[in-house]
Amino acid sequence: MSALHIKLLRDLVRLWPQALAIAFVLAAGAATLILGIGAYQSLSETRAAYYDRNRFADVFADLTRAPKIVEDEIARIPGVASVETRIAKIALLDLPTVPEPASAMFVSIPEFQDQKLNLLYMRSGRLPLPADENEVVVSEPFAKANKFDIGSTFDAILNGRKRTLRVVGTALSPEFIYSLGPYGLIPDDKRYGIVWMREKALAAAYDLTGAFSSVHLKLTSAAAAPEAIQQLDGILARYGGLGAHGRRDQTSHAFLDAELQQLKAMSRILPPVFLLVAAFLVNMTLSRLILLEREQIGLLKALGYGGAAVGWHYLQFALAIAVVGIAIGIGAGTWLGFGMTRLYADFYHFPFLVFRTDPAIYVIAAGVTLAAAAVGALRAVRDVVALPPAVAMSPPAPAVYRRLLPQAFYAIVNIPQSLIMVTRHLLRWPIRTVSSVLGIALAVSVLVGSMWAFGSTEFMIDVTYNRAERANATINFGHERTMSAYFDTFALPGVLTAEPYRSVPVRIYHGPVERRIAISGKPPQGDLSRVLGPGLMPVQLPESGIALSDALARILKAKVGDLVEVELLERDRRRAVLPVTGVIEGYLGLNAYMSLPALNRLMREGATISGVNLLYDTARQDELFRRLKTTPVANFIALQRTTLQNFRQTLQENLLVMITVYVSLGVIIAFGVVYNFARISLSEQGRELASLRVLGFHKSEVSAILLSELAVLTIVAQPLGWVIGYFFAWAMVQGFNSELYRVPLVVERSVYAWASVIVFASALASALVVRQRIDRLDLIEVLKTRE
């Protein structure tokens, strides 16, 4: 072992608190990288394996009714590898343990042969017997939420007729990984589930014997999905086809895909931020360490060590710290990544979990961490290489201090001498002061960039559930009804007011861009379900034209006054050209709105509705729920307050865990930055502080000088940290946005306040450590002359 290696070990032992603090910061960057990419890859692999093993379909289509013989015609579409037809209907449930009305998607499974596509993954029990029309398999989350065991029974209203069904098995399906009911934001497993029945039993209930209402296709690897979708649409048009679509528009796949994109965005934004801070910290520490070791550097060069050898020695110092950080980061990142993947897998109900430990992730994490440390050390090492031995062995020139203000000013204002000393020291080394402020500001920014999501989520909830959707419940009839159904709802117990609505599936075109959406028809002056314009103010829908959500308008590149083409996916499947009369605000999905009379005119129909929004007296809700459970015309009833409560609970369980992880890493960075600054300042000023002690200053007075300097830098860094943190939050919002939902950028004042509180707490903890070291200063040792 060479002398430089021995010196390296001694330096690491001597400076272990500072080295460990830097290592933790580097570890935070490496852990975030492994956590984000590892969780993303694991979930992607799990989804791919699940889709492949259970033959998840590529194309999906719903229709009114088609004879089974059409299946052969569909199978002849070029590129189709497999076809499965079935019956799929939403129906109301009467669950004994749930006071509110519940619903389920009833899906048929073949009578005798095995499923071809979207195979069930049986979790318990067995499939229904073909001879028994009351046996069903239910989705496992629905069974768990309602405590269903094998043999449990519940009532369902199938096509207006009440049936008692018996659970004989629980299962999962790749088609319903994210089992979302109509108008829902997140799954409500207690009030919405999937029920599989034998085809004969379900067909008899809905008068679809020998027919189907849903079809799925599996394409060959060489097939083009758009051409297959177009041909399938052409076949199903005469059977009430509602427009075929690929996986992109399949609800479960789309939500899971959006979640994966969020994970990907976080893995791209947060690790670079953490590693940037770490590189800066390495640079700050190493630069000052080299300045303190000028004499040793000069001595080494005088003894024959070349500039490259000495420079490599200090680079090794930085890389050794990075290696420790990589080891900690790999351990923490693997543990956190597995935990987060498990959290996602439980939430999305995967039957198995493929936790991918790709060596490439660890190689990348180690590489970028070493690179961050090397980049941070580069400037300091360059100074070492260029430092001549004679200059290095000479003591640095004493600092030149100038009076900032006239002496009379100090006499009048009576500024404390300690404050003057702090100010002069900070101004004497402006670059050092600015770099310290920037380092602490980055610590603040990391915390702001980790905690902003809470305010944005609350704002999104307020806009969606308080300003736009103000109804207590939404009843969906399943089929279009005349306006008399709307008037009938006033006879329900406790109903205070009601508003009708209509939903029509369409494809909307503007130039080469198209999307599959639903146009919502609302009363022009509706108050229970409002459309919000600029500034989130309610707007009245015009008597003609179509209003687009801002996200849809951006995708279509359409603005007010432009003409868009709409292809109806119901009835005669006409195409119509409509003027864009408004762009409205909204954060969920791609939406288009028309006034209800205008939408009915577009459909060339009279007063027709799809459902009703209700405002009811909560004191009579039990009576209302009992009546709704027996309403034959409804197939789904959404309860906004229940949905919101479920949404908040899920946020607490999932988002809070993720944010806690990132905030913890942010706290580590904040403490690492502040602690390193305090320790380096003590090393640099130890001689001056000891001199003050010898001159008669008390320990507290000496400590106050250094700690005041730390306090000034911490205070000055706060506004800059808030600004940089806001930019980080903006970058994450851009990465989070998808076609399913947009995240508003709302950084509440409390986020800035908490970020500052955490940094001040870190500064206080660092100050207490430094204060102890000041009290234990060896006055004789530090006052030894350097000459």
Side-chain angles (χ1 to χ4, degrees):
M1 182 177 290
S2 68
L4 286 181
H5 287 144
I6 296 173
K7 179 180 181 301
L8 175 62
L9 292 176
R10 288 177 175 172
D11 286 345
L12 288 172
V13 172
R14 178 169 58 88
L15 300 171
W16 74 267
Q18 292 165 252
L20 189 60
I22 298 172
F24 273 123
V25 176
L26 288 164
T32 311
L33 193 63
I34 295 170
L35 161 68
I37 296 179
Y40 170 76
Q41 289 189 342
S42 296
L43 287 172
S44 297
E45 292 283 332
T46 301
R47 183 179 68 170
Y50 191 21
Y51 281 1
D52 183 57
R53 294 179 195 177
N54 291 67
R55 300 181 206 165
F56 184 52
D58 297 310
V59 177
F60 310 80
D62 292 320
L63 58 148
T64 304
R65 177 193 180 99
K68 294 282 283 185
I69 195 171
V70 176
E71 183 176 332
D72 296 335
E73 186 179 357
I74 296 172
R76 289 194 291 272
I77 295 175
V80 172
S82 185
V83 181
E84 181 147 274
T85 58
R86 66 182 190 180
I87 299 166
K89 296 287 183 182
I90 297 179
L92 273 185
L93 304 180
D94 185 2
L95 303 177
T97 58
V98 182
E100 304 94 349
S103 298
M105 168 73 80
F106 282 77
V107 180
S108 69
I109 51 179
E111 195 66 17
F112 296 105
Q113 68 271 32
D114 294 334
Q115 287 180 285
K116 299 177 186 175
L117 301 175
N118 303 327
L119 308 187
L120 294 187
Y121 188 99
M122 293 301 296
R123 301 286 279 183
S124 66
R126 57 170 174 80
L127 291 173
L129 295 174
D132 195 326
E133 296 185 347
N134 295 321
E135 290 186 348
V136 295
V137 170
V138 299
S139 52
E140 185 187 48
F142 179 66
K144 286 183 176 177
N146 289 285
K147 298 182 172 55
F148 283 162
D149 298 318
I150 303 299
S152 297
T153 60
F154 62 91
D155 293 333
I157 302 174
L158 301 179
N159 201 23
R161 293 187 289 272
K162 195 168 188 176
R163 296 267 297 273
T164 299
L165 305 174
R166 184 171 64 258
V167 177
V168 296
T170 62
L172 297 173
S173 167
E175 188 185 359
F176 301 107
I177 294 175
Y178 197 82
S179 179
L180 192 67
Y183 316 107
L185 288 176
I186 58 175
D188 182 356
D189 294 329
K190 197 170 185 63
R191 295 188 57 250
Y192 184 79
I194 311 299
V195 177
W196 289 275
M197 294 179 69
R198 286 294 181 183
E199 184 176 308
K200 183 179 177 182
L202 198 57
Y206 283 93
D207 299 326
L208 286 170
T209 302
F212 64 91
S213 65
S214 176
V215 59
H216 295 169
L217 309 182
K218 188 72 178 174
L219 304 180
T220 61
S221 57
E227 282 76 7
I229 289 172
Q230 187 177 12
Q231 294 196 42
L232 181 60
D233 271 345
I235 294 172
L236 298 181
R238 57 186 182 277
Y239 301 109
L242 299 178
H245 57 85
R247 287 183 178 180
R248 186 189 70 179
D249 294 322
Q250 204 269 340
T251 304
S252 172
H253 176 84
F255 271 89
L256 184 55
D257 202 53
E259 193 69 47
L260 288 174
Q261 292 307 314
Q262 283 195 3
L263 264 179
K264 194 174 184 179
M266 291 180 78
S267 66
R268 286 179 174 177
I269 296 171
L270 283 180
V273 172
F274 288 179
L275 291 172
L276 173 67
V277 176
F280 177 81
L281 198 54
V282 169
N283 176 268
M284 187 172 72
T285 305
L286 206 57
S287 297
R288 294 192 177 186
L289 177 65
I290 289 171
L291 191 64
L292 291 172
E293 296 190 349
R294 280 171 58 95
E295 295 177 33
Q296 296 181 33
I297 293 169
L299 187 59
L300 287 171
K301 288 190 172 182
L303 291 173
Y305 288 97
V310 180
W312 173 238
H313 163 71
Y314 284 99
L315 184 59
Q316 283 180 309
F317 178 80
L319 296 179
I321 296 174
V323 168
V324 176
I326 290 169
I328 299 172
I330 286 176
T334 303
W335 180 68
L336 291 172
F338 185 80
M340 186 168 285
T341 305
R342 173 63 64 187
L343 184 70
Y344 274 102
D346 290 344
F347 180 72
Y348 286 104
H349 309 296
F350 286 108
F352 52 83
L353 179 61
V354 179
F355 184 66
R356 184 173 179 180
T357 54
D358 187 352
I361 302 174
Y362 297 99
V363 172
I364 293 172
V368 297
T369 306
L370 286 172
V375 169
L378 203 59
R379 182 172 176 273
V381 170
R382 186 194 63 190
D383 293 342
V384 169
V385 173
L387 192 63
V391 175
M393 294 184 68
S394 304
V400 178
Y401 293 95
R402 295 183 179 87
R403 179 171 294 150
L404 299 175
L405 297 171
Q407 185 63 36
F409 176 82
Y410 296 103
I412 295 172
V413 178
N414 192 25
I415 299 176
Q417 188 63 34
S418 59
L419 182 58
I420 296 174
M421 295 170 67
V422 169
T423 306
R424 294 181 68 187
H425 189 262
L426 291 175
L427 295 179
R428 175 63 184 85
W429 308 100
I431 296 177
R432 180 185 303 174
T433 301
V434 170
S435 65
S436 300
V437 169
L438 182 59
I440 299 173
L442 285 172
V444 177
S445 68
V446 166
L447 291 166
V448 174
S450 302
M451 296 189 292
W452 63 273
F454 291 107
S456 293
T457 304
E458 285 299 323
F459 183 77
M460 190 165 62
I461 288 173
D462 178 55
V463 171
T464 304
Y465 287 99
N466 295 329
R467 305 189 199 190
E469 301 299 330
R470 294 145 56 90
N472 295 131
T474 298
I475 299 177
N476 184 274
F477 295 141
H479 299 285
E480 281 68 37
R481 302 278 174 178
T482 62
M483 195 60 80
S484 62
Y486 157 64
F487 294 112
D488 290 343
T489 58
F490 285 96
L492 293 170
V495 171
L496 301 176
T497 185
E499 286 179 359
Y501 72 89
R502 184 171 189 182
S503 180
V504 176
V506 300
R507 280 202 180 92
I508 188 168
Y509 301 84
H510 187 243
V513 186
E514 62 91 12
R515 285 293 186 275
R516 187 177 185 275
I517 61 167
I519 298 178
S520 297
K522 298 172 181 284
Q525 297 179 331
D527 189 55
L528 294 184
S529 180
R530 304 191 300 186
V531 176
L532 305 178
L536 299 175
M537 297 300 294
V539 296
Q540 182 175 339
L541 289 170
E543 295 182 357
S544 62
I546 187 170
L548 307 178
S549 65
D550 51 354
L552 181 58
R554 275 198 303 274
I555 291 173
L556 296 176
K557 297 180 179 176
K559 59 183 183 300
V560 175
D562 288 349
L563 297 177
V564 294
E565 190 174 14
V566 170
E567 177 190 4
L568 304 177
L569 299 178
E570 287 183 345
R571 308 292 189 271
D572 57 3
R573 303 178 68 87
R574 279 178 297 110
R575 287 199 175 201
V577 176
L578 298 172
V580 177
T581 53
V583 175
I584 54 93
E585 297 280 346
Y587 301 112
L588 304 176
L590 303 179
N591 303 304
Y593 299 95
M594 295 179 69
S595 74
L596 183 56
L599 183 58
N600 282 330
R601 286 198 300 273
L602 176 67
M603 298 299 295
R604 295 177 180 172
E605 294 175 351
T608 306
I609 60 175
S610 303
V612 176
N613 292 307
L614 295 180
L615 186 68
Y616 59 79
D617 181 0
T618 54
R620 300 184 63 190
Q621 69 177 16
D622 291 342
E623 187 181 355
L624 174 64
F625 290 164
R626 283 194 295 273
R627 179 72 70 83
L628 288 175
K629 283 184 173 183
T630 60
T631 303
V633 297
N635 75 339
F636 188 86
I637 298 170
L639 300 174
Q640 275 74 1
R641 295 302 114 183
T642 304
T643 303
L644 177 57
Q645 183 181 5
N646 196 28
F647 184 61
R648 286 189 183 280
Q649 182 179 351
T650 304
L651 281 180
Q652 289 175 355
E653 293 174 354
N654 295 345
L655 181 62
L656 191 60
V657 173
M658 288 189 292
I659 296 300
T660 301
V661 170
Y662 288 116
V663 170
S664 300
L665 296 175
V667 171
I668 290 172
I669 290 179
F671 183 80
V673 170
V674 177
Y675 178 74
N676 262 281
F677 171 79
R679 286 298 307 269
I680 292 171
S681 296
L682 176 61
S683 301
E684 291 174 344
Q685 300 180 56
R687 181 181 174 83
E688 289 81 357
L689 297 175
S691 300
L692 292 175
R693 288 281 309 279
V694 173
L695 291 173
F697 280 70
H698 194 268
K699 289 180 181 179
S700 59
E701 294 174 316
V702 173
S703 301
I705 294 173
L706 185 62
L707 301 184
S708 298
E709 188 177 319
L710 178 63
V712 170
L713 294 173
T714 305
I715 293 170
V716 172
Q718 300 309 307
L720 181 60
W722 298 337
V723 173
I724 300 174
Y726 186 87
F727 171 76
F728 289 159
W730 174 84
M732 293 187 70
V733 164
Q734 304 310 309
F736 281 1
N737 286 343
S738 68
E739 292 189 6
L740 286 178
Y741 46 81
R742 274 78 56 203
V743 180
L745 178 56
V746 178
V747 186
E748 294 184 334
R749 293 178 181 176
S750 59
V751 172
Y752 298 120
W754 275 111
S756 295
V757 166
I758 292 172
V759 170
F760 277 119
S762 301
L764 180 61
S766 304
L768 293 175
V769 174
V770 172
R771 168 65 191 268
Q772 290 181 341
R773 296 189 69 86
I774 292 175
D775 292 345
R776 295 199 299 265
L777 276 176
D778 186 342
L779 301 183
I780 298 176
E781 183 66 24
V782 297
L783 287 177
K784 287 179 180 176
T785 59
R786 296 178 182 178
E787 295 77 12

